[in-house]
Amino acid sequence: MSIINFNPSAKEELDFAVEKLENLLDVLKKINEQDKILKFVDIEQVMKATGFSKKTVQDLFKDPEFPTCNYGKKQIAEVNAVIKYFSSPRRKEDSVYWRHVA
C-alpha cells in the first residue's frame, strides 16, 4: 500500500489552473463560433477600406476572379474571401479582365 502525500495548496493551484483552462476553452469556442458567421461588404465599404475610387471598386466587383455575389440588385462580397483575394499580389498585365478595363 502506497502513501500519497496530499498537499492542500497544490490541490488549490491545480483547481485554479483547471478553471483557467476551462475559461480559455470557452473563449476559444466563442471565437470559433464567430468565425462561422458570414459577414458581407458592399461597394461603399470596400471603397472605405481600400481608398479606391468608386469606379475602380465597381470594376473590381465585375472581375470574374473577385468573390462577389448579387443580393437583390446589390453586389456584395464575403469579408474573408475579399481578404484572401487581396492577400495575393495581382498585376494588371497578368489578368485578362484588367487588361481590357480602361
Side-chain angles (χ1 to χ4, degrees), residues 15-62:
D15 289 342
F16 179 76
V18 167
E19 182 183 342
K20 290 297 177 188
L21 283 172
E22 288 172 347
N23 289 342
L24 283 172
L25 285 172
D26 288 341
V27 169
L28 283 173
K29 285 179 186 175
K30 288 177 184 175
I31 290 171
N32 285 336
E33 288 172 6
Q34 289 177 350
D35 283 347
K36 294 176 185 174
I37 297 172
L38 294 177
K39 297 176 185 169
F40 292 91
V41 290
D42 59 12
I43 290 175
E44 287 76 23
Q45 291 167 321
V46 173
M47 284 171 45
K48 286 180 185 177
T50 60
F52 295 165
S53 70
K54 186 170 187 171
K55 175 157 179 15
T56 300
V57 176
Q58 286 172 336
D59 289 341
L60 182 64
F61 270 64
K62 293 175 188 172

Short mmCIF file of all heavy atoms in Angstrom, two decimals, residues 15-62:
data_model
loop_
_atom_site.label_atom_id
_atom_site.label_comp_id
_atom_site.label_asym_id
_atom_site.label_seq_id
_atom_site.Cartn_x
_atom_site.Cartn_y
_atom_site.Cartn_z
N ASP A 15 -6.66 23.22 -9.07
CA ASP A 15 -8.04 23.64 -9.32
C ASP A 15 -8.07 24.99 -10.03
O ASP A 15 -8.86 25.21 -10.96
CB ASP A 15 -8.84 23.71 -8.01
CG ASP A 15 -9.13 22.35 -7.43
OD1 ASP A 15 -9.04 21.35 -8.18
OD2 ASP A 15 -9.46 22.28 -6.22
N PHE A 16 -7.19 25.89 -9.59
CA PHE A 16 -7.11 27.22 -10.22
C PHE A 16 -6.69 27.09 -11.68
O PHE A 16 -7.27 27.71 -12.57
CB PHE A 16 -6.12 28.09 -9.45
CG PHE A 16 -5.95 29.47 -10.02
CD1 PHE A 16 -6.91 30.45 -9.82
CD2 PHE A 16 -4.82 29.79 -10.77
CE1 PHE A 16 -6.76 31.71 -10.34
CE2 PHE A 16 -4.67 31.05 -11.30
CZ PHE A 16 -5.64 32.02 -11.09
N ALA A 17 -5.69 26.24 -11.95
CA ALA A 17 -5.21 26.04 -13.33
C ALA A 17 -6.29 25.42 -14.20
O ALA A 17 -6.49 25.83 -15.35
CB ALA A 17 -3.95 25.18 -13.32
N VAL A 18 -7.01 24.44 -13.65
CA VAL A 18 -8.08 23.80 -14.41
C VAL A 18 -9.18 24.81 -14.73
O VAL A 18 -9.71 24.85 -15.85
CB VAL A 18 -8.65 22.59 -13.63
CG1 VAL A 18 -9.96 22.11 -14.23
CG2 VAL A 18 -7.64 21.47 -13.58
N GLU A 19 -9.53 25.66 -13.77
CA GLU A 19 -10.55 26.68 -14.00
C GLU A 19 -10.11 27.65 -15.11
O GLU A 19 -10.91 28.00 -15.99
CB GLU A 19 -10.81 27.45 -12.71
CG GLU A 19 -11.88 28.51 -12.83
CD GLU A 19 -12.07 29.30 -11.54
OE1 GLU A 19 -11.63 28.84 -10.47
OE2 GLU A 19 -12.64 30.40 -11.63
N LYS A 20 -8.86 28.06 -15.10
CA LYS A 20 -8.35 28.97 -16.13
C LYS A 20 -8.37 28.30 -17.50
O LYS A 20 -8.73 28.93 -18.50
CB LYS A 20 -6.92 29.44 -15.80
CG LYS A 20 -6.84 30.37 -14.63
CD LYS A 20 -7.60 31.64 -14.94
CE LYS A 20 -7.61 32.58 -13.77
NZ LYS A 20 -8.47 33.72 -13.97
N LEU A 21 -8.00 27.03 -17.56
CA LEU A 21 -8.03 26.31 -18.83
C LEU A 21 -9.46 26.19 -19.36
O LEU A 21 -9.70 26.35 -20.56
CB LEU A 21 -7.41 24.92 -18.68
CG LEU A 21 -5.89 24.88 -18.63
CD1 LEU A 21 -5.41 23.48 -18.28
CD2 LEU A 21 -5.30 25.33 -19.94
N GLU A 22 -10.40 25.93 -18.48
CA GLU A 22 -11.80 25.86 -18.91
C GLU A 22 -12.28 27.20 -19.44
O GLU A 22 -13.00 27.26 -20.44
CB GLU A 22 -12.68 25.38 -17.75
CG GLU A 22 -12.50 23.91 -17.42
CD GLU A 22 -13.22 23.49 -16.16
OE1 GLU A 22 -13.68 24.36 -15.38
OE2 GLU A 22 -13.33 22.27 -15.95
N ASN A 23 -11.87 28.29 -18.79
CA ASN A 23 -12.23 29.63 -19.27
C ASN A 23 -11.64 29.89 -20.65
O ASN A 23 -12.31 30.44 -21.52
CB ASN A 23 -11.76 30.71 -18.29
CG ASN A 23 -12.56 30.72 -17.00
OD1 ASN A 23 -13.66 30.17 -16.95
ND2 ASN A 23 -12.01 31.32 -15.97
N LEU A 24 -10.38 29.49 -20.85
CA LEU A 24 -9.75 29.67 -22.15
C LEU A 24 -10.46 28.86 -23.23
O LEU A 24 -10.66 29.33 -24.35
CB LEU A 24 -8.28 29.27 -22.09
CG LEU A 24 -7.34 30.27 -21.43
CD1 LEU A 24 -5.95 29.66 -21.26
CD2 LEU A 24 -7.26 31.54 -22.22
N LEU A 25 -10.86 27.64 -22.90
CA LEU A 25 -11.59 26.82 -23.86
C LEU A 25 -12.93 27.46 -24.23
O LEU A 25 -13.33 27.43 -25.40
CB LEU A 25 -11.81 25.41 -23.31
CG LEU A 25 -10.59 24.51 -23.31
CD1 LEU A 25 -10.89 23.22 -22.57
CD2 LEU A 25 -10.15 24.21 -24.73
N ASP A 26 -13.60 28.05 -23.26
CA ASP A 26 -14.86 28.75 -23.54
C ASP A 26 -14.65 29.92 -24.49
O ASP A 26 -15.42 30.14 -25.43
CB ASP A 26 -15.52 29.24 -22.25
CG ASP A 26 -16.11 28.11 -21.42
OD1 ASP A 26 -16.36 27.02 -21.98
OD2 ASP A 26 -16.33 28.34 -20.21
N VAL A 27 -13.58 30.68 -24.25
CA VAL A 27 -13.27 31.82 -25.12
C VAL A 27 -12.96 31.34 -26.53
O VAL A 27 -13.44 31.91 -27.52
CB VAL A 27 -12.08 32.65 -24.55
CG1 VAL A 27 -11.58 33.65 -25.55
CG2 VAL A 27 -12.50 33.32 -23.25
N LEU A 28 -12.17 30.27 -26.66
CA LEU A 28 -11.85 29.72 -27.98
C LEU A 28 -13.10 29.23 -28.72
O LEU A 28 -13.23 29.43 -29.92
CB LEU A 28 -10.85 28.57 -27.86
CG LEU A 28 -9.40 28.98 -27.60
CD1 LEU A 28 -8.55 27.76 -27.32
CD2 LEU A 28 -8.86 29.75 -28.78
N LYS A 29 -14.03 28.61 -28.00
CA LYS A 29 -15.27 28.17 -28.61
C LYS A 29 -16.07 29.35 -29.16
O LYS A 29 -16.62 29.29 -30.25
CB LYS A 29 -16.11 27.38 -27.61
CG LYS A 29 -15.61 25.99 -27.34
CD LYS A 29 -16.47 25.29 -26.31
CE LYS A 29 -15.89 23.95 -25.92
NZ LYS A 29 -16.67 23.31 -24.84
N LYS A 30 -16.11 30.43 -28.37
CA LYS A 30 -16.84 31.64 -28.81
C LYS A 30 -16.20 32.24 -30.06
O LYS A 30 -16.89 32.67 -30.97
CB LYS A 30 -16.91 32.66 -27.69
CG LYS A 30 -17.84 32.26 -26.57
CD LYS A 30 -17.83 33.27 -25.44
CE LYS A 30 -18.69 32.78 -24.28
NZ LYS A 30 -18.62 33.68 -23.13
N ILE A 31 -14.87 32.26 -30.07
CA ILE A 31 -14.16 32.80 -31.24
C ILE A 31 -14.45 31.95 -32.47
O ILE A 31 -14.72 32.46 -33.55
CB ILE A 31 -12.64 32.89 -30.96
CG1 ILE A 31 -12.36 33.99 -29.95
CG2 ILE A 31 -11.86 33.12 -32.24
CD1 ILE A 31 -10.94 34.03 -29.44
N ASN A 32 -14.40 30.64 -32.32
CA ASN A 32 -14.68 29.74 -33.44
C ASN A 32 -16.10 29.91 -33.94
O ASN A 32 -16.36 29.84 -35.14
CB ASN A 32 -14.41 28.29 -33.06
CG ASN A 32 -12.94 27.97 -33.01
OD1 ASN A 32 -12.13 28.63 -33.64
ND2 ASN A 32 -12.58 26.96 -32.24
N GLU A 33 -17.06 30.11 -33.04
CA GLU A 33 -18.44 30.32 -33.45
C GLU A 33 -18.58 31.62 -34.24
O GLU A 33 -19.31 31.68 -35.21
CB GLU A 33 -19.35 30.34 -32.23
CG GLU A 33 -19.54 28.99 -31.59
CD GLU A 33 -20.29 29.06 -30.26
OE1 GLU A 33 -20.76 30.15 -29.90
OE2 GLU A 33 -20.38 28.02 -29.60
N GLN A 34 -17.87 32.66 -33.82
CA GLN A 34 -17.94 33.94 -34.53
C GLN A 34 -17.31 33.84 -35.91
O GLN A 34 -17.74 34.52 -36.83
CB GLN A 34 -17.26 35.04 -33.72
CG GLN A 34 -18.03 35.43 -32.49
CD GLN A 34 -17.31 36.47 -31.65
OE1 GLN A 34 -16.15 36.78 -31.90
NE2 GLN A 34 -18.00 37.01 -30.67
N ASP A 35 -16.29 33.00 -36.06
CA ASP A 35 -15.66 32.83 -37.37
C ASP A 35 -16.61 32.19 -38.37
O ASP A 35 -16.46 32.37 -39.57
CB ASP A 35 -14.40 31.96 -37.26
CG ASP A 35 -13.22 32.72 -36.69
OD1 ASP A 35 -13.30 33.96 -36.62
OD2 ASP A 35 -12.23 32.08 -36.31
N LYS A 36 -17.58 31.44 -37.89
CA LYS A 36 -18.52 30.76 -38.78
C LYS A 36 -19.60 31.70 -39.30
O LYS A 36 -20.32 31.36 -40.23
CB LYS A 36 -19.15 29.58 -38.06
CG LYS A 36 -18.15 28.49 -37.75
CD LYS A 36 -18.77 27.38 -36.96
CE LYS A 36 -17.70 26.37 -36.57
NZ LYS A 36 -18.21 25.35 -35.69
N ILE A 37 -19.73 32.88 -38.69
CA ILE A 37 -20.73 33.84 -39.12
C ILE A 37 -20.20 34.55 -40.36
O ILE A 37 -19.09 35.07 -40.38
CB ILE A 37 -21.03 34.87 -38.01
CG1 ILE A 37 -21.61 34.16 -36.79
CG2 ILE A 37 -21.96 35.95 -38.51
CD1 ILE A 37 -21.76 35.05 -35.58
N LEU A 38 -20.99 34.56 -41.42
CA LEU A 38 -20.59 35.23 -42.64
C LEU A 38 -20.86 36.72 -42.54
O LEU A 38 -21.93 37.13 -42.10
CB LEU A 38 -21.35 34.66 -43.84
CG LEU A 38 -21.05 33.21 -44.20
CD1 LEU A 38 -21.94 32.76 -45.35
CD2 LEU A 38 -19.60 33.04 -44.57
N LYS A 39 -19.88 37.50 -42.95
CA LYS A 39 -20.03 38.95 -42.96
C LYS A 39 -19.76 39.42 -44.38
O LYS A 39 -18.81 38.97 -45.01
CB LYS A 39 -19.05 39.59 -41.98
CG LYS A 39 -19.31 39.19 -40.55
CD LYS A 39 -18.29 39.75 -39.61
CE LYS A 39 -18.55 39.20 -38.22
NZ LYS A 39 -17.48 39.49 -37.31
N PHE A 40 -20.61 40.31 -44.84
CA PHE A 40 -20.52 40.77 -46.22
C PHE A 40 -20.25 42.28 -46.26
O PHE A 40 -20.61 43.00 -45.35
CB PHE A 40 -21.82 40.47 -46.97
CG PHE A 40 -22.05 39.00 -47.18
CD1 PHE A 40 -22.77 38.26 -46.27
CD2 PHE A 40 -21.53 38.36 -48.28
CE1 PHE A 40 -22.97 36.91 -46.45
CE2 PHE A 40 -21.73 37.01 -48.48
CZ PHE A 40 -22.46 36.29 -47.55
N VAL A 41 -19.59 42.69 -47.34
CA VAL A 41 -19.34 44.11 -47.59
C VAL A 41 -19.87 44.46 -48.97
O VAL A 41 -19.95 43.61 -49.85
CB VAL A 41 -17.83 44.45 -47.50
CG1 VAL A 41 -17.33 44.35 -46.07
CG2 VAL A 41 -17.00 43.57 -48.40
N ASP A 42 -20.23 45.72 -49.12
CA ASP A 42 -20.69 46.19 -50.42
C ASP A 42 -19.64 47.12 -51.02
O ASP A 42 -18.55 47.29 -50.47
CB ASP A 42 -22.06 46.87 -50.30
CG ASP A 42 -22.05 48.07 -49.37
OD1 ASP A 42 -20.96 48.53 -48.98
OD2 ASP A 42 -23.15 48.56 -49.04
N ILE A 43 -19.97 47.71 -52.14
CA ILE A 43 -19.01 48.56 -52.86
C ILE A 43 -18.53 49.73 -52.00
O ILE A 43 -17.34 50.01 -51.94
CB ILE A 43 -19.64 49.06 -54.19
CG1 ILE A 43 -19.76 47.87 -55.16
CG2 ILE A 43 -18.81 50.17 -54.81
CD1 ILE A 43 -20.46 48.17 -56.47
N GLU A 44 -19.46 50.39 -51.31
CA GLU A 44 -19.08 51.54 -50.50
C GLU A 44 -18.13 51.15 -49.36
O GLU A 44 -17.17 51.88 -49.06
CB GLU A 44 -20.33 52.23 -49.92
CG GLU A 44 -21.13 53.02 -50.93
CD GLU A 44 -21.98 52.14 -51.86
OE1 GLU A 44 -22.31 50.99 -51.48
OE2 GLU A 44 -22.28 52.60 -52.98
N GLN A 45 -18.36 50.01 -48.75
CA GLN A 45 -17.48 49.57 -47.66
C GLN A 45 -16.10 49.19 -48.17
O GLN A 45 -15.10 49.46 -47.50
CB GLN A 45 -18.13 48.40 -46.92
CG GLN A 45 -19.37 48.81 -46.15
CD GLN A 45 -20.19 47.65 -45.66
OE1 GLN A 45 -20.35 46.66 -46.38
NE2 GLN A 45 -20.72 47.75 -44.46
N VAL A 46 -16.03 48.59 -49.34
CA VAL A 46 -14.73 48.27 -49.93
C VAL A 46 -14.00 49.56 -50.30
O VAL A 46 -12.78 49.67 -50.13
CB VAL A 46 -14.87 47.32 -51.14
CG1 VAL A 46 -13.54 47.13 -51.86
CG2 VAL A 46 -15.44 45.98 -50.70
N MET A 47 -14.74 50.56 -50.78
CA MET A 47 -14.14 51.87 -51.10
C MET A 47 -13.49 52.47 -49.85
O MET A 47 -12.35 52.94 -49.89
CB MET A 47 -15.19 52.84 -51.64
CG MET A 47 -15.61 52.59 -53.05
SD MET A 47 -17.03 53.60 -53.55
CE MET A 47 -16.63 55.21 -52.93
N LYS A 48 -14.22 52.44 -48.72
CA LYS A 48 -13.69 53.00 -47.47
C LYS A 48 -12.47 52.22 -46.99
O LYS A 48 -11.50 52.81 -46.51
CB LYS A 48 -14.76 52.98 -46.39
CG LYS A 48 -15.83 54.01 -46.56
CD LYS A 48 -16.85 53.92 -45.44
CE LYS A 48 -18.01 54.87 -45.68
NZ LYS A 48 -19.06 54.74 -44.64
N ALA A 49 -12.52 50.91 -47.10
CA ALA A 49 -11.43 50.07 -46.59
C ALA A 49 -10.16 50.19 -47.42
O ALA A 49 -9.06 50.15 -46.89
CB ALA A 49 -11.88 48.62 -46.53
N THR A 50 -10.32 50.33 -48.75
CA THR A 50 -9.14 50.33 -49.63
C THR A 50 -8.69 51.72 -50.04
O THR A 50 -7.53 51.91 -50.39
CB THR A 50 -9.45 49.54 -50.92
OG1 THR A 50 -10.54 50.16 -51.59
CG2 THR A 50 -9.76 48.09 -50.61
N GLY A 51 -9.63 52.67 -50.05
CA GLY A 51 -9.29 54.00 -50.55
C GLY A 51 -9.39 54.10 -52.06
O GLY A 51 -9.01 55.11 -52.65
N PHE A 52 -9.89 53.05 -52.71
CA PHE A 52 -10.05 53.05 -54.16
C PHE A 52 -11.24 53.93 -54.53
O PHE A 52 -12.17 54.12 -53.75
CB PHE A 52 -10.30 51.64 -54.70
CG PHE A 52 -9.15 50.69 -54.52
CD1 PHE A 52 -9.35 49.33 -54.68
CD2 PHE A 52 -7.87 51.10 -54.22
CE1 PHE A 52 -8.31 48.42 -54.54
CE2 PHE A 52 -6.82 50.22 -54.06
CZ PHE A 52 -7.06 48.88 -54.22
N SER A 53 -11.24 54.39 -55.77
CA SER A 53 -12.37 55.18 -56.27
C SER A 53 -13.58 54.28 -56.49
O SER A 53 -13.46 53.06 -56.57
CB SER A 53 -12.00 55.86 -57.59
OG SER A 53 -11.90 54.89 -58.62
N LYS A 54 -14.75 54.90 -56.62
CA LYS A 54 -15.98 54.13 -56.83
C LYS A 54 -15.90 53.34 -58.13
O LYS A 54 -16.27 52.16 -58.17
CB LYS A 54 -17.20 55.05 -56.82
CG LYS A 54 -18.50 54.29 -56.88
CD LYS A 54 -19.69 55.19 -56.64
CE LYS A 54 -20.95 54.36 -56.54
NZ LYS A 54 -22.11 55.11 -56.10
N LYS A 55 -15.40 53.95 -59.19
CA LYS A 55 -15.30 53.27 -60.48
C LYS A 55 -14.36 52.06 -60.38
O LYS A 55 -14.67 50.99 -60.91
CB LYS A 55 -14.81 54.22 -61.56
CG LYS A 55 -14.57 53.49 -62.89
CD LYS A 55 -14.64 54.36 -64.08
CE LYS A 55 -14.39 53.71 -65.39
NZ LYS A 55 -14.43 52.30 -65.53
N THR A 56 -13.24 52.21 -59.70
CA THR A 56 -12.29 51.10 -59.56
C THR A 56 -12.93 49.94 -58.81
O THR A 56 -12.79 48.78 -59.21
CB THR A 56 -11.01 51.56 -58.85
OG1 THR A 56 -10.41 52.61 -59.61
CG2 THR A 56 -10.02 50.43 -58.67
N VAL A 57 -13.65 50.25 -57.73
CA VAL A 57 -14.28 49.18 -56.95
C VAL A 57 -15.42 48.54 -57.74
O VAL A 57 -15.61 47.32 -57.70
CB VAL A 57 -14.77 49.72 -55.58
CG1 VAL A 57 -15.52 48.65 -54.81
CG2 VAL A 57 -13.59 50.21 -54.76
N GLN A 58 -16.16 49.34 -58.49
CA GLN A 58 -17.22 48.77 -59.33
C GLN A 58 -16.60 47.82 -60.37
O GLN A 58 -17.13 46.73 -60.62
CB GLN A 58 -18.01 49.87 -60.03
CG GLN A 58 -18.95 50.60 -59.12
CD GLN A 58 -19.60 51.82 -59.78
OE1 GLN A 58 -19.06 52.39 -60.73
NE2 GLN A 58 -20.74 52.23 -59.24
N ASP A 59 -15.50 48.23 -60.96
CA ASP A 59 -14.79 47.35 -61.91
C ASP A 59 -14.28 46.10 -61.21
O ASP A 59 -14.34 45.00 -61.77
CB ASP A 59 -13.63 48.09 -62.58
CG ASP A 59 -14.08 49.15 -63.56
OD1 ASP A 59 -15.25 49.09 -64.00
OD2 ASP A 59 -13.27 50.05 -63.88
N LEU A 60 -13.79 46.27 -60.00
CA LEU A 60 -13.31 45.13 -59.21
C LEU A 60 -14.43 44.13 -58.97
O LEU A 60 -14.24 42.92 -59.11
CB LEU A 60 -12.74 45.62 -57.88
CG LEU A 60 -12.15 44.59 -56.94
CD1 LEU A 60 -10.92 43.94 -57.56
CD2 LEU A 60 -11.80 45.23 -55.62
N PHE A 61 -15.62 44.62 -58.65
CA PHE A 61 -16.76 43.74 -58.41
C PHE A 61 -17.23 43.03 -59.68
O PHE A 61 -17.88 42.00 -59.60
CB PHE A 61 -17.92 44.53 -57.79
CG PHE A 61 -17.89 44.58 -56.28
CD1 PHE A 61 -16.87 45.20 -55.60
CD2 PHE A 61 -18.90 43.99 -55.54
CE1 PHE A 61 -16.84 45.25 -54.23
CE2 PHE A 61 -18.89 44.01 -54.16
CZ PHE A 61 -17.85 44.65 -53.50
N LYS A 62 -16.87 43.58 -60.85
CA LYS A 62 -17.21 42.92 -62.12
C LYS A 62 -16.17 41.88 -62.54
O LYS A 62 -16.42 41.06 -63.42
CB LYS A 62 -17.34 43.97 -63.24
CG LYS A 62 -18.51 44.91 -63.06
CD LYS A 62 -18.50 45.98 -64.13
CE LYS A 62 -19.54 47.05 -63.86
NZ LYS A 62 -19.41 48.19 -64.77
#
